[in-house]
């Protein structure tokens, strides 16, 4: 079994679905509740680099101080945006999952299936009832 880490927010339905999909593959990940234990600058920078996405992709707008801080302004450098995420961890979009097959911001939740080392062990439906995996463990 590989090492899997999820940067998780238990109040987020997408994050809960991703955690359940990881567990449905037979893995028990390291769960980091990033609002309680935020990553440091080096870790956050490394996660963004490993995902291969622009820093702005990792910024969460909904339910955060994004608008009041004016983070949509192009004046902010990547380093400054990371600084805001460190000051306000709620700005870090979630869930971020690290596996031996890659690192990904798993939105939508089924994106995690692309980086899980083990196949799904059975059917899985999201909290809203949407089927994601069938009884044979195949993506729907």
């Amino acid at each position: 079994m590989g090492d899997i880490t999820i940067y998780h927010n238990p109040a987020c339905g997408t994050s809960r679905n991703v955690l359940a999909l990881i567990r449905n593959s037979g893995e028990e990940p390291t769960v980091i509740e990033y609002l309680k234990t935020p990553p440091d600058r080096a870790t956050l920078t490394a996660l963004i680099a490993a995902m291969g996405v622009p820093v702005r992709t990792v910024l969460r707008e909904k339910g955060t101080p994004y608008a009041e801080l004016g983070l949509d302004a192009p004046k902010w450098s990547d380093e400054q945006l990371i600084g805001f995420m460190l000051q306000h961890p709620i700005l870090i979009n979630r869930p971020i999952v690290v596996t031996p097959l890659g690192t990904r911001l798993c939105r939508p939740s089924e994106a995690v299936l692309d980086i899980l080392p083990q196949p799904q062990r059975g059917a899985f439906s999201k909290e809203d009832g949407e089927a994601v995996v069938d009884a044979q463990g195949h993506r729907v």
Side-chain angles (χ1 to χ4, degrees):
M1 294 216 186
D3 292 321
I4 297 177
T5 300
I6 179 172
Y7 289 84
H8 179 59
N9 179 352
C12 170
T14 300
S15 201
R16 290 190 304 269
N17 284 324
V18 169
L19 179 57
L21 279 163
I22 294 168
R23 289 178 171 155
N24 197 45
S25 75
E27 301 274 0
E28 184 54 42
T30 298
V31 177
I32 298 173
E33 289 190 33
Y34 72 94
L35 294 177
K36 292 181 181 176
T37 311
D40 60 20
R41 180 176 289 274
T43 302
L44 183 56
T45 301
L47 287 168
I48 294 167
M51 287 186 283
V53 299
V55 171
R56 287 188 176 278
T57 301
V58 184
L59 275 173
R60 181 167 176 82
E61 296 179 36
K62 188 174 147 190
T64 74
Y66 180 91
E68 74 184 58
L69 293 170
L71 297 183
D72 58 341
K75 69 179 180 180
W76 302 114
S77 70
D78 288 352
E79 284 302 309
Q80 288 171 313
L81 292 172
I82 289 170
F84 282 114
M85 286 187 261
L86 295 172
Q87 279 183 284
H88 307 278
I90 193 70
L91 286 167
I92 301 170
N93 213 342
R94 77 275 180 160
I96 296 172
V97 178
V98 180
T99 79
L101 301 180
T103 301
R104 181 159 298 164
L105 174 60
C106 294
R107 300 189 75 82
S109 53
E110 52 270 25
V112 75
L113 297 172
D114 296 333
I115 60 169
L116 289 177
Q118 302 297 322
Q120 294 290 290
R121 293 187 168 184
F124 181 85
S125 294
K126 293 183 186 182
E127 291 179 358
D128 67 4
E130 179 186 348
V132 177
V133 177
D134 66 19
Q136 290 74 42
H138 300 111
R139 197 179 215 160
V140 175

